[in-house]
Amino acid sequence: MNPMRKAKLDRKTNETEIAVAVDLDGNGVRQIETGIGFFDHMLDQLSRHSLIDMAIHARGDLHIDDHHTVEDVGIAIGQAFKEALGDKKGIMRYGACDLVMDGTKSTVALDVSGRAFLVWRVEFTSPKIGTFDTELVREFFQAIAINAGITLHAENHYGDNNHHIAESLFKALARALRQAVEIDPRAADQVPSTKGVL
């Protein structure tokens, strides 16, 4: 187990430069700057509602589009989560949240299993929210799942406001992560698997 449950990661490619720091036992303190306004707003929700402290600074090839930056930030956050979790000893492992925003309802359920998998049952009614491509929400969730080693199911049940659909998914992910990475006081020295390892 990583006793501090913190991680820092720098990731540099020809397309992006990203620095991420996370503290799983934080209070939702955040410093976020990706150059993409709507994405910053979503990451702000992710940190605030998970109570995971996050510092995320990204410079990407935004003159092309937002895709590389969004995906690479997801990769970096996922890798930092995985490092911060260490051997996963003591975690609750599972988390789920049904979340409503006005006329929108979304669900995220996840298992910090070490097995990366994404089930995505979300349809947006517009290709963009402002200038942000709605398809990038899935790209981010997939990057998190693959790089953190999480089985992640996301579903939007209904809603006609695309901003609310996206935001409800990020907030539900945050609340599910908060549950899953919490230390179980009844089994703090145990890996939550009959295998003995995750």
Side-chain angles (χ1 to χ4, degrees):
M1 180 176 164
N2 179 351
M4 298 299 291
R5 303 214 314 157
K6 298 179 181 180
K8 290 184 178 181
L9 186 140
D10 293 313
R11 187 175 192 275
K12 185 174 181 179
T13 72
N14 291 333
E15 298 162 342
T16 61
E17 293 182 32
I18 295 164
V20 167
V22 300
D23 180 354
L24 302 184
D25 299 308
N27 298 295
V29 176
R30 58 240 180 242
Q31 288 185 317
I32 296 164
E33 187 177 359
T34 69
I36 305 168
F38 182 77
F39 188 40
D40 286 356
H41 177 47
M42 294 299 100
L43 294 173
D44 191 59
Q45 303 303 322
L46 183 62
S47 176
R48 171 64 185 86
H49 292 283
S50 66
L51 296 184
I52 297 171
D53 291 351
M54 295 185 190
I56 303 166
H57 299 281
R59 291 175 55 194
D61 54 0
L62 300 182
H63 62 286
I64 296 174
D65 65 10
D66 298 344
H67 184 278
H68 295 142
T69 301
V70 172
E71 183 179 29
D72 287 4
V73 167
I75 289 169
I77 293 172
Q79 290 174 347
F81 279 179
K82 189 172 185 177
E83 182 181 334
L85 283 165
D87 63 9
K88 305 181 183 73
K89 189 175 286 185
I91 65 167
M92 298 292 285
R93 178 176 168 177
Y94 300 98
C97 178
D98 284 323
L99 193 133
V100 296
M101 285 189 69
D102 298 337
T104 300
K105 180 181 178 182
S106 295
T107 297
V108 170
L110 58 85
D111 174 11
V112 184
S113 60
R115 298 186 302 276
F117 200 90
L118 176 67
V119 173
W120 186 255
R121 294 183 176 174
V122 178
E123 291 186 15
F124 290 97
T125 60
S126 171
K128 287 187 179 291
I129 301 167
T131 61
F132 185 83
D133 292 330
T134 50
E135 67 182 10
L136 296 182
V137 178
R138 185 188 189 282
E139 293 296 325
F140 176 80
F141 273 64
Q142 181 165 273
I144 287 270
I146 289 170
N147 290 277
I150 292 173
T151 297
L152 197 164
H153 292 226
E155 182 171 8
N156 173 245
H157 302 283
Y158 45 80
D160 54 13
N161 182 304
N162 289 286
H163 186 130
H164 286 175
I165 292 171
E167 189 167 342
S168 65
L169 289 162
F170 273 84
K171 286 179 174 177
L173 173 62
R175 298 294 296 194
L177 281 171
R178 179 177 170 182
Q179 291 176 25
V181 304
E182 285 287 315
I183 297 298
D184 185 345
R186 296 176 62 192
D189 61 344
Q190 299 174 37
V191 174
S193 172
T194 54
K195 298 182 184 74
V197 64
L198 284 173

